[in-house]
PDB file of all heavy atoms in Angstrom:
ATOM      1  N   ASP A 143      49.076 -24.943  10.308  1.00 98.00           N
ATOM      2  CA  ASP A 143      50.177 -25.807   9.932  1.00 98.00           C
ATOM      3  C   ASP A 143      51.436 -25.539  10.828  1.00 98.00           C
ATOM      4  O   ASP A 143      51.860 -24.334  10.978  1.00 98.00           O
ATOM      5  CB  ASP A 143      50.452 -25.420   8.483  1.00 98.00           C
ATOM      6  CG  ASP A 143      51.370 -26.509   7.807  1.00 98.00           C
ATOM      7  OD1 ASP A 143      52.349 -26.790   8.436  1.00 98.00           O
ATOM      8  OD2 ASP A 143      50.920 -26.957   6.672  1.00 98.00           O
ATOM      9  N   SER A 144      52.050 -26.658  11.285  1.00 97.00           N
ATOM     10  CA  SER A 144      53.214 -26.576  12.166  1.00 97.00           C
ATOM     11  C   SER A 144      54.333 -25.880  11.406  1.00 97.00           C
ATOM     12  O   SER A 144      55.196 -25.249  12.004  1.00 97.00           O
ATOM     13  CB  SER A 144      53.572 -27.894  12.668  1.00 97.00           C
ATOM     14  OG  SER A 144      53.866 -28.766  11.576  1.00 97.00           O
ATOM     15  N   GLN A 145      54.376 -25.932  10.129  1.00 97.00           N
ATOM     16  CA  GLN A 145      55.465 -25.427   9.322  1.00 97.00           C
ATOM     17  C   GLN A 145      55.117 -24.021   8.852  1.00 97.00           C
ATOM     18  O   GLN A 145      55.883 -23.251   8.273  1.00 97.00           O
ATOM     19  CB  GLN A 145      55.769 -26.307   8.060  1.00 97.00           C
ATOM     20  CG  GLN A 145      56.266 -27.608   8.392  1.00 97.00           C
ATOM     21  CD  GLN A 145      57.402 -27.503   9.452  1.00 97.00           C
ATOM     22  OE1 GLN A 145      58.516 -26.833   9.146  1.00 97.00           O
ATOM     23  NE2 GLN A 145      57.249 -28.093  10.581  1.00 97.00           N
ATOM     24  N   GLY A 146      53.871 -23.563   9.091  1.00 98.00           N
ATOM     25  CA  GLY A 146      53.411 -22.152   8.709  1.00 98.00           C
ATOM     26  C   GLY A 146      53.186 -21.242   9.840  1.00 98.00           C
ATOM     27  O   GLY A 146      54.142 -20.866  10.510  1.00 98.00           O
ATOM     28  N   GLN A 147      51.948 -20.991  10.088  1.00 97.00           N
ATOM     29  CA  GLN A 147      51.608 -19.995  11.170  1.00 97.00           C
ATOM     30  C   GLN A 147      52.145 -20.392  12.471  1.00 97.00           C
ATOM     31  O   GLN A 147      52.549 -19.510  13.389  1.00 97.00           O
ATOM     32  CB  GLN A 147      50.195 -19.883  11.294  1.00 97.00           C
ATOM     33  CG  GLN A 147      49.373 -19.241  10.135  1.00 97.00           C
ATOM     34  CD  GLN A 147      47.978 -19.281  10.441  1.00 97.00           C
ATOM     35  OE1 GLN A 147      47.379 -18.470  11.152  1.00 97.00           O
ATOM     36  NE2 GLN A 147      47.194 -20.179   9.721  1.00 97.00           N
ATOM     37  N   ALA A 148      52.264 -21.569  12.792  1.00 97.00           N
ATOM     38  CA  ALA A 148      52.689 -22.125  14.177  1.00 97.00           C
ATOM     39  C   ALA A 148      54.186 -21.613  14.473  1.00 97.00           C
ATOM     40  O   ALA A 148      54.428 -21.186  15.439  1.00 97.00           O
ATOM     41  CB  ALA A 148      52.663 -23.598  14.274  1.00 97.00           C
ATOM     42  N   LYS A 149      55.024 -21.638  13.422  1.00 97.00           N
ATOM     43  CA  LYS A 149      56.382 -21.096  13.623  1.00 97.00           C
ATOM     44  C   LYS A 149      56.671 -19.694  13.024  1.00 97.00           C
ATOM     45  O   LYS A 149      57.784 -19.141  13.196  1.00 97.00           O
ATOM     46  CB  LYS A 149      57.423 -22.138  13.136  1.00 97.00           C
ATOM     47  CG  LYS A 149      57.602 -22.266  11.608  1.00 97.00           C
ATOM     48  CD  LYS A 149      58.775 -23.065  11.306  1.00 97.00           C
ATOM     49  CE  LYS A 149      59.201 -23.079   9.927  1.00 97.00           C
ATOM     50  NZ  LYS A 149      60.176 -24.057   9.525  1.00 97.00           N
ATOM     51  N   ALA A 150      55.656 -19.054  12.467  1.00 98.00           N
ATOM     52  CA  ALA A 150      55.795 -17.772  11.890  1.00 98.00           C
ATOM     53  C   ALA A 150      56.075 -16.685  12.910  1.00 98.00           C
ATOM     54  O   ALA A 150      55.630 -16.807  14.019  1.00 98.00           O
ATOM     55  CB  ALA A 150      54.513 -17.385  11.035  1.00 98.00           C
ATOM     56  N   ASP A 151      56.840 -15.746  12.558  1.00 98.00           N
ATOM     57  CA  ASP A 151      57.009 -14.576  13.420  1.00 98.00           C
ATOM     58  C   ASP A 151      56.145 -13.333  12.887  1.00 98.00           C
ATOM     59  O   ASP A 151      55.664 -12.589  13.779  1.00 98.00           O
ATOM     60  CB  ASP A 151      58.457 -14.127  13.575  1.00 98.00           C
ATOM     61  CG  ASP A 151      59.170 -14.022  12.180  1.00 98.00           C
ATOM     62  OD1 ASP A 151      58.661 -14.361  11.208  1.00 98.00           O
ATOM     63  OD2 ASP A 151      60.295 -13.436  12.317  1.00 98.00           O
ATOM     64  N   VAL A 152      55.928 -13.338  11.580  1.00 98.00           N
ATOM     65  CA  VAL A 152      55.089 -12.236  11.041  1.00 98.00           C
ATOM     66  C   VAL A 152      54.123 -12.875  10.143  1.00 98.00           C
ATOM     67  O   VAL A 152      54.334 -13.662   9.263  1.00 98.00           O
ATOM     68  CB  VAL A 152      55.929 -11.279  10.278  1.00 98.00           C
ATOM     69  CG1 VAL A 152      55.127 -10.047   9.757  1.00 98.00           C
ATOM     70  CG2 VAL A 152      57.183 -10.699  11.045  1.00 98.00           C
ATOM     71  N   ILE A 153      52.796 -12.498  10.385  1.00 98.00           N
ATOM     72  CA  ILE A 153      51.765 -13.132   9.579  1.00 98.00           C
ATOM     73  C   ILE A 153      50.851 -12.096   8.916  1.00 98.00           C
ATOM     74  O   ILE A 153      50.377 -11.188   9.605  1.00 98.00           O
ATOM     75  CB  ILE A 153      50.829 -14.095  10.417  1.00 98.00           C
ATOM     76  CG1 ILE A 153      51.742 -14.998  11.224  1.00 98.00           C
ATOM     77  CG2 ILE A 153      49.840 -14.941   9.600  1.00 98.00           C
ATOM     78  CD1 ILE A 153      50.949 -15.995  12.051  1.00 98.00           C
ATOM     79  N   LEU A 154      50.612 -12.248   7.666  1.00 98.00           N
ATOM     80  CA  LEU A 154      49.637 -11.409   6.980  1.00 98.00           C
ATOM     81  C   LEU A 154      48.307 -12.043   7.015  1.00 98.00           C
ATOM     82  O   LEU A 154      48.071 -13.159   6.435  1.00 98.00           O
ATOM     83  CB  LEU A 154      50.064 -11.088   5.525  1.00 98.00           C
ATOM     84  CG  LEU A 154      49.076 -10.265   4.686  1.00 98.00           C
ATOM     85  CD1 LEU A 154      48.948  -8.883   5.221  1.00 98.00           C
ATOM     86  CD2 LEU A 154      49.639 -10.133   3.226  1.00 98.00           C
ATOM     87  N   VAL A 155      47.237 -11.418   7.658  1.00 98.00           N
ATOM     88  CA  VAL A 155      45.926 -12.076   7.679  1.00 98.00           C
ATOM     89  C   VAL A 155      44.860 -11.083   7.092  1.00 98.00           C
ATOM     90  O   VAL A 155      44.246 -10.363   7.846  1.00 98.00           O
ATOM     91  CB  VAL A 155      45.559 -12.433   9.220  1.00 98.00           C
ATOM     92  CG1 VAL A 155      46.375 -13.653   9.627  1.00 98.00           C
ATOM     93  CG2 VAL A 155      45.885 -11.257  10.071  1.00 98.00           C
ATOM     94  N   PRO A 156      44.667 -11.162   5.823  1.00 98.00           N
ATOM     95  CA  PRO A 156      43.740 -10.143   5.231  1.00 98.00           C
ATOM     96  C   PRO A 156      42.288 -10.634   5.380  1.00 98.00           C
ATOM     97  O   PRO A 156      42.005 -11.751   5.541  1.00 98.00           O
ATOM     98  CB  PRO A 156      44.105 -10.130   3.762  1.00 98.00           C
ATOM     99  CG  PRO A 156      45.011 -11.212   3.525  1.00 98.00           C
ATOM    100  CD  PRO A 156      45.351 -11.940   4.857  1.00 98.00           C
ATOM    101  N   LEU A 157      41.419  -9.615   5.448  1.00 97.00           N
ATOM    102  CA  LEU A 157      39.987  -9.891   5.461  1.00 97.00           C
ATOM    103  C   LEU A 157      39.525 -10.862   6.467  1.00 97.00           C
ATOM    104  O   LEU A 157      38.980 -11.996   6.311  1.00 97.00           O
ATOM    105  CB  LEU A 157      39.438 -10.373   4.079  1.00 97.00           C
ATOM    106  CG  LEU A 157      39.312  -9.397   2.920  1.00 97.00           C
ATOM    107  CD1 LEU A 157      40.586  -8.674   2.566  1.00 97.00           C
ATOM    108  CD2 LEU A 157      38.586 -10.009   1.712  1.00 97.00           C
ATOM    109  N   GLU A 158      39.898 -10.565   7.674  1.00 89.00           N
ATOM    110  CA  GLU A 158      39.930 -11.542   8.873  1.00 89.00           C
ATOM    111  C   GLU A 158      38.851 -11.128   9.813  1.00 89.00           C
ATOM    112  O   GLU A 158      38.345 -10.063   9.832  1.00 89.00           O
ATOM    113  CB  GLU A 158      41.345 -11.257   9.499  1.00 89.00           C
ATOM    114  CG  GLU A 158      41.726 -12.045  10.641  1.00 89.00           C
ATOM    115  CD  GLU A 158      41.643 -13.585  10.303  1.00 89.00           C
ATOM    116  OE1 GLU A 158      42.003 -13.957   9.181  1.00 89.00           O
ATOM    117  OE2 GLU A 158      41.317 -14.318  11.211  1.00 89.00           O
ATOM    118  N   ASP A 159      38.539 -12.132  10.729  1.00 82.00           N
ATOM    119  CA  ASP A 159      37.659 -11.786  11.824  1.00 82.00           C
ATOM    120  C   ASP A 159      38.662 -11.606  13.064  1.00 82.00           C
ATOM    121  O   ASP A 159      39.749 -12.140  13.043  1.00 82.00           O
ATOM    122  CB  ASP A 159      36.571 -12.818  12.107  1.00 82.00           C
ATOM    123  CG  ASP A 159      37.121 -14.205  12.495  1.00 82.00           C
ATOM    124  OD1 ASP A 159      37.458 -14.373  13.638  1.00 82.00           O
ATOM    125  OD2 ASP A 159      37.324 -15.018  11.542  1.00 82.00           O
ATOM    126  N   GLY A 160      38.186 -10.843  13.992  1.00 86.00           N
ATOM    127  CA  GLY A 160      38.962 -10.427  15.061  1.00 86.00           C
ATOM    128  C   GLY A 160      39.682 -11.527  15.978  1.00 86.00           C
ATOM    129  O   GLY A 160      40.656 -11.311  16.514  1.00 86.00           O
ATOM    130  N   ASP A 161      38.913 -12.629  16.060  1.00 89.00           N
ATOM    131  CA  ASP A 161      39.300 -13.651  16.989  1.00 89.00           C
ATOM    132  C   ASP A 161      40.745 -14.123  16.728  1.00 89.00           C
ATOM    133  O   ASP A 161      41.520 -14.384  17.673  1.00 89.00           O
ATOM    134  CB  ASP A 161      38.411 -14.854  16.952  1.00 89.00           C
ATOM    135  CG  ASP A 161      37.281 -14.752  17.859  1.00 89.00           C
ATOM    136  OD1 ASP A 161      37.012 -13.549  18.328  1.00 89.00           O
ATOM    137  OD2 ASP A 161      36.504 -15.747  18.035  1.00 89.00           O
ATOM    138  N   ARG A 162      41.015 -14.423  15.452  1.00 92.00           N
ATOM    139  CA  ARG A 162      42.323 -14.989  15.194  1.00 92.00           C
ATOM    140  C   ARG A 162      43.479 -14.022  15.493  1.00 92.00           C
ATOM    141  O   ARG A 162      44.472 -14.426  15.920  1.00 92.00           O
ATOM    142  CB  ARG A 162      42.407 -15.572  13.778  1.00 92.00           C
ATOM    143  CG  ARG A 162      43.735 -16.355  13.529  1.00 92.00           C
ATOM    144  CD  ARG A 162      43.600 -17.293  12.349  1.00 92.00           C
ATOM    145  NE  ARG A 162      43.372 -16.587  11.121  1.00 92.00           N
ATOM    146  CZ  ARG A 162      44.264 -16.648  10.081  1.00 92.00           C
ATOM    147  NH1 ARG A 162      45.321 -17.342  10.093  1.00 92.00           N
ATOM    148  NH2 ARG A 162      43.929 -15.944   9.027  1.00 92.00           N
ATOM    149  N   THR A 163      43.223 -12.781  15.106  1.00 94.00           N
ATOM    150  CA  THR A 163      44.222 -11.809  15.232  1.00 94.00           C
ATOM    151  C   THR A 163      44.591 -11.783  16.749  1.00 94.00           C
ATOM    152  O   THR A 163      45.800 -11.724  17.021  1.00 94.00           O
ATOM    153  CB  THR A 163      43.681 -10.476  14.889  1.00 94.00           C
ATOM    154  OG1 THR A 163      43.268 -10.552  13.468  1.00 94.00           O
ATOM    155  CG2 THR A 163      44.705  -9.330  14.915  1.00 94.00           C
ATOM    156  N   GLU A 164      43.547 -11.775  17.576  1.00 94.00           N
ATOM    157  CA  GLU A 164      43.752 -11.761  18.959  1.00 94.00           C
ATOM    158  C   GLU A 164      44.554 -12.935  19.482  1.00 94.00           C
ATOM    159  O   GLU A 164      45.557 -12.832  20.290  1.00 94.00           O
ATOM    160  CB  GLU A 164      42.376 -11.760  19.661  1.00 94.00           C
ATOM    161  CG  GLU A 164      42.223 -10.997  21.005  1.00 94.00           C
ATOM    162  CD  GLU A 164      40.662 -10.913  21.380  1.00 94.00           C
ATOM    163  OE1 GLU A 164      40.150 -12.018  21.455  1.00 94.00           O
ATOM    164  OE2 GLU A 164      40.231  -9.833  21.392  1.00 94.00           O
ATOM    165  N   ALA A 165      44.250 -14.150  18.888  1.00 95.00           N
ATOM    166  CA  ALA A 165      44.894 -15.368  19.360  1.00 95.00           C
ATOM    167  C   ALA A 165      46.364 -15.365  18.865  1.00 95.00           C
ATOM    168  O   ALA A 165      47.315 -15.775  19.545  1.00 95.00           O
ATOM    169  CB  ALA A 165      44.197 -16.541  18.765  1.00 95.00           C
ATOM    170  N   LEU A 166      46.566 -14.882  17.596  1.00 96.00           N
ATOM    171  CA  LEU A 166      47.911 -14.714  17.073  1.00 96.00           C
ATOM    172  C   LEU A 166      48.808 -13.833  17.905  1.00 96.00           C
ATOM    173  O   LEU A 166      49.975 -14.079  18.171  1.00 96.00           O
ATOM    174  CB  LEU A 166      47.950 -14.358  15.639  1.00 96.00           C
ATOM    175  CG  LEU A 166      47.283 -15.482  14.678  1.00 96.00           C
ATOM    176  CD1 LEU A 166      47.181 -14.846  13.275  1.00 96.00           C
ATOM    177  CD2 LEU A 166      48.252 -16.645  14.570  1.00 96.00           C
ATOM    178  N   LYS A 167      48.168 -12.751  18.374  1.00 96.00           N
ATOM    179  CA  LYS A 167      48.982 -11.753  19.104  1.00 96.00           C
ATOM    180  C   LYS A 167      49.240 -12.349  20.441  1.00 96.00           C
ATOM    181  O   LYS A 167      50.358 -12.271  20.947  1.00 96.00           O
ATOM    182  CB  LYS A 167      48.069 -10.515  19.378  1.00 96.00           C
ATOM    183  CG  LYS A 167      47.767  -9.733  18.217  1.00 96.00           C
ATOM    184  CD  LYS A 167      48.962  -8.903  17.761  1.00 96.00           C
ATOM    185  CE  LYS A 167      49.354  -7.894  18.879  1.00 96.00           C
ATOM    186  NZ  LYS A 167      50.647  -7.272  18.641  1.00 96.00           N
TER     187      LYS A 167
END
Side-chain angles (χ1 to χ4, degrees):
D143 194 307
S144 58
Q145 295 310 301
Q147 289 179 76
K149 73 171 190 188
D151 52 347
V152 182
I153 309 183
L154 176 63
V155 287
L157 283 63
E158 179 63 33
D159 65 83
D161 273 15
R162 184 160 65 122
T163 305
E164 217 168 55
L166 290 170
K167 292 284 300 167

